[in-house]
Amino acid sequence: MIGKEALMESLYFRHACKIFDEKKIPKEDLEFVLEVGRLSPSSFGMEHWRFVVVQDAKLKIAMRPFCWDQKQITTCSDLIVIVSKTDKVVAQEYSNAMFMRRGLTVEHFENYITRYTNFTYQLSSIKEWSLKQCYLAAANMMSYGAMVGIDSCPIEGFEKEPLEELLGIGHDEDIALLVPFGYRINPQTPKFRLSFEEIVEYR
Ligand SMILES: Cc1cc2nc3c(=O)[nH]c(=O)nc-3n(C[C@H](O)[C@H](O)[C@H](O)COP(=O)(O)O)c2cc1C
């Protein structure tokens, strides 16, 4: 277990890094961050994400105009595009396989399928539900990345359609968000947060 103090230190270390110093993240550390994403929780265990790791400088340059021209895109070491498997998570073949791998009895499996079908049916948007799961993976990757000294910046500021076209993301999937990872070049900006009392209520 890691002490609370060390964890708190890394939470303060993490910030939305606006420009990176182009230093490469060692392969082992990058794979640690990706592994953190892979192990993240997801509703019904559907693992709604896949991770496209953009390392090619030319591709980053091509992406930047569709990302509000943000410097993080081209200065980071690794640009992780979190792609939501929107349609796949409700495709029977995929969802059945995700339940089957648990080694359930037939009865248990059928109960799961019924609950899952009813749950997804009452959702107002499969896409929004799926995107939310991707944000959990992103949050974990950024927080754990900070624990090993890696900076990041969540990026929602992008033009979805042209970026998906550039990356060849099909209509059955959606880019949830981009997360550039690397190392900061500038000192961290101050952290602004509402106070504990303003956001916590005990009942
Ligand atoms: C989902 C999401 C999308 C964001 N998109 C951008 C972005 O496109 N560009 C950017 O510079 N910061 C972006 N941010 C960073 C936020 O502005 C930042 O997290 C917030 O101001 C708090 O600052 P801190 O992360 O440095 O503590 C995004 C944050 C989140 C959670």
Side-chain angles (χ1 to χ4, degrees), residues 14-16 18 70 72 135 153-157 191 193:
R14 190 218 57 80
H15 69 295
K18 305 296 181 192
Q70 298 188 68
Q72 299 94 315
Y135 278 66
C153 182
I155 298 236
E156 239 178 6
K191 210 173 246 321
R193 290 293 188 273

Side-chain angles (χ1 to χ4, degrees), residues 83-113:
V83 180
S84 156
K85 298 188 283 197
T86 308
D87 285 358
K88 202 171 190 180
V89 296
V90 283
Q92 213 175 20
E93 194 184 342
Y94 181 84
S95 53
N96 281 4
M98 297 302 261
F99 288 130
M100 286 289 269
R101 65 185 176 167
R102 298 176 186 219
L104 307 171
T105 60
V106 174
E107 189 192 350
H108 212 153
F109 171 73
E110 280 169 4
N111 285 345
Y112 256 113
I113 291 294

Side-chain angles (χ1 to χ4, degrees), residues 60-75:
K60 288 179 191 165
I61 291 169
M63 289 172 70
R64 187 165 148 174
F66 302 127
C67 303
W68 300 359
D69 196 31
Q70 298 188 68
K71 292 188 178 73
Q72 299 94 315
I73 302 296
T74 46
T75 58

Side-chain angles (χ1 to χ4, degrees), residues 54 71 122 157:
V54 180
K71 292 188 178 73
Q122 52 88 47

Side-chain angles (χ1 to χ4, degrees), residues 29-179:
D29 286 2
L30 174 66
E31 286 180 356
F32 165 76
V33 168
L34 289 162
E35 190 64 356
V36 166
R38 189 179 75 87
L39 294 174
S40 295
S42 58
S43 185
F44 283 91
M46 283 299 143
E47 302 178 43
H48 302 63
W49 45 70
R50 62 186 190 90
F51 308 120
V52 178
V53 186
V54 180
Q55 297 178 316
D56 180 65
K58 283 192 192 130
L59 183 53
K60 288 179 191 165
I61 291 169
M63 289 172 70
R64 187 165 148 174
F66 302 127
C67 303
W68 300 359
D69 196 31
Q70 298 188 68
K71 292 188 178 73
Q72 299 94 315
I73 302 296
T74 46
T75 58
C76 70
S77 165
D78 298 275
L79 175 57
I80 301 187
V81 181
I82 306 188
V83 180
S84 156
K85 298 188 283 197
T86 308
D87 285 358
K88 202 171 190 180
V89 296
V90 283
Q92 213 175 20
E93 194 184 342
Y94 181 84
S95 53
N96 281 4
M98 297 302 261
F99 288 130
M100 286 289 269
R101 65 185 176 167
R102 298 176 186 219
L104 307 171
T105 60
V106 174
E107 189 192 350
H108 212 153
F109 171 73
E110 280 169 4
N111 285 345
Y112 256 113
I113 291 294
T114 305
R115 181 163 291 183
Y116 186 64
T117 307
N118 291 342
F119 176 82
T120 50
Y121 187 73
Q122 52 88 47
L123 288 171
S124 55
S125 163
I126 297 292
K127 177 173 155 178
E128 294 306 321
W129 173 61
S130 207
L131 291 175
K132 281 194 278 188
Q133 316 305 319
C134 293
Y135 278 66
L136 293 176
N140 279 345
M141 290 159 98
M142 292 186 289
S143 300
Y144 282 83
M147 286 171 66
V148 293
I150 297 174
D151 286 304
S152 60
C153 182
I155 298 236
E156 239 178 6
F158 60 87
E159 292 168 50
K160 191 174 178 301
E161 275 182 30
L163 193 61
E164 287 179 346
E165 198 180 320
L166 176 69
L167 296 174
I169 308 294
H171 293 298
D172 55 338
E173 296 188 317
D174 294 280
I175 295 178
L177 75 167
L178 313 178
V179 191

